[in-house]
Amino acid sequence: MSSKVAYIKDDNLTEICSNIPNVGDRGKLTHRLVEAYGLFKFMQVFPVKPASREDLITFHSQSYVDFLIEADEWSDYENREEDQEEYGLGYDCPLFTKVYKFASLVAGGSLTGAQLLVDGDADIAINWCGGWHHAQRDEAKGFCYVNDIVIAIQKLREKFDRVLYIDIDAHHGDGVENAFSSTSKVMTVSFHNYGLGFFPGSGAVNDVGFGAGRYYSVNVPLKDGVTDDQFSWLFTRVMDVVTNTFHCDAVVLQCGADCLTGDPVGTFNLTPHGMGACVKKVLTWKLPTLFLGGGGYNLTNTAKCWTFLTSIIVGKTLSSDIPDHTDFLRYGPDFDLEISAGLRKNSNTFSELNTIVDNITANLSNLP
C-alpha cells in the first residue's frame, strides 16, 4: 500500500521567505521544479495554516514572540538596535517588514505538516520551506527567527509519544537539541561539520544531553570533504544503533542542502545521492515522517536536491534533463539535474568514522 504524501506549498510562505539573507527565491525554484517534473500528481498539496501566538509560545518565550509582534509594525529599525540585540536580531538575523508574519507562516508550514500526520490525513508530509534549526527559545540565530522544527515536534507529541529528530544539514541542529536536551521523549541526531570556526561551534560527540535527557542527544561531528559513500555508510551505521535503542513513533528529518558540494557556506563533497540514501533509509521504517528543508545557499542546487528527494519519497525516477519551465535558464549551462561530486580535500578517514560510531554506541548503551 503506497503512502499518502502531503506537500506544503503556499505562495505567501515562499514570498516572505525571500526576505531571509542568502535564501532568495529558492522556495519558488523548488516548487516550480517539482511541478515541472510532474511530481504533484503523486502528492496532495496543502496550503499553510499560519501559526498563532499560542502555537509559537509552545517553544518560544512570550517576551520574544511579543517583541516580534511589536516589530512587525516598525518602519525604522536603525534607532532600535538595543531592543533588537537582546533577541539576537541584527547581523545574520536582521529585522525586516512583517517579521512576525514570516515567523507565523514558517512555523505554520511545519505545523500544518505535523497536524496532517497527527490526524492521519498523511503518512508523510514535506515542507521544504521549513527546517530553521538554529532559533533558540528567546533569540534568533543563524538566519533562523523561529524554530518551526521544535514547534512541529511539540505538535507531533500530542499523538506520538516518542519522536526521533534527524538533522543532515551541514550545521549542528543546536536549537532543536537545546530544546529537547532534558527529555527522554525526543531523541535528536545531528550529522554536521564540526571544525574550528564553523558555525555554530557546538555538537561534539560527547554532547549527549542532561538529566532525564542524558544520552538522548546524539552528535555526529564531521570534518571537511566528506563523500557520499562515507556519509551514507555512516548514516546507516548510526541510525541502526539509534533505532535499536530508541523505539520512536514518528520521525522528523531536516534535509539542509548546505551539505552539498558547491554550497557557498558548506565544506562537504556530497551530492543529492548521498542525501537520498539517508531519505531511503528513513522511508524503510514506514513511520509517520515530516521532511523539512533547512540551509542551502546555492539556490539552484538546493532546488535540484529537494526535487530529487521528493522523487524518492513518492517513488518516481526523474530524467536528468531539466524540463522546460519558467526557471529553465537558471539551470544553465548544463541543464542537468545531476550535481557532480566535489573535489575538496577529504579530511575524514573511515577509521575516524568508525570511532565516532563506537563512541555513539557506547553512549547509547547507557539507555534502558
Side-chain angles (χ1 to χ4, degrees), residues 194-211:
Y194 183 70
L196 186 64
F198 195 82
F199 182 85
S202 53
V205 73
N206 57 356
D207 292 338
V208 295
F210 308 95

Side-chain angles (χ1 to χ4, degrees), residues 43-188:
M43 303 180 285
Q44 188 168 356
V45 178
F46 290 86
V48 171
K49 179 183 177 182
S52 66
R53 176 182 180 277
E54 289 67 32
D55 291 327
L56 296 180
I57 63 176
T58 59
F59 172 56
H60 292 289
S61 66
Q62 294 186 38
S63 60
Y64 177 62
V65 174
D66 289 343
F67 180 83
L68 294 180
I69 292 172
E70 179 189 345
D72 223 27
E73 305 304 323
W74 291 355
S75 58
D76 180 10
Y77 301 124
E78 292 183 1
N79 294 326
R80 299 184 182 243
E81 289 182 359
E82 287 187 17
D83 295 333
Q84 297 178 50
E85 288 172 4
E86 180 181 352
Y87 296 108
L89 296 159
Y91 186 54
D92 60 354
C93 293
L95 274 180
F96 55 87
T97 304
K98 301 301 179 186
V99 66
Y100 176 72
K101 181 181 180 183
F102 164 80
S104 175
L105 286 168
V106 165
S110 296
L111 262 180
T112 299
Q115 188 69 61
L116 290 165
L117 298 178
V118 167
D119 293 342
D121 293 329
D123 304 308
I124 294 169
I126 303 170
N127 177 27
W128 294 133
C129 288
W132 303 88
H133 58 175
H134 294 306
Q136 306 293 320
R137 181 174 181 271
D138 53 8
E139 69 173 332
K141 183 178 178 183
F143 304 154
C144 303
Y145 296 75
V146 61
N147 202 312
D148 61 297
I149 304 169
V150 174
I151 295 168
I153 291 173
Q154 304 277 38
K155 173 58 67 175
L156 290 172
R157 290 214 58 252
E158 292 179 6
K159 178 178 182 180
F160 306 108
D161 185 47
R162 292 156 73 86
V163 178
L164 175 61
Y165 171 69
I166 312 166
D167 190 315
I168 56 176
D169 192 287
H171 300 86
H172 178 225
D174 56 338
V176 186
E177 180 180 304
N178 291 343
F180 297 111
S181 61
S182 297
T183 178
S184 61
K185 295 296 187 178
V186 178
M187 179 172 281
T188 62

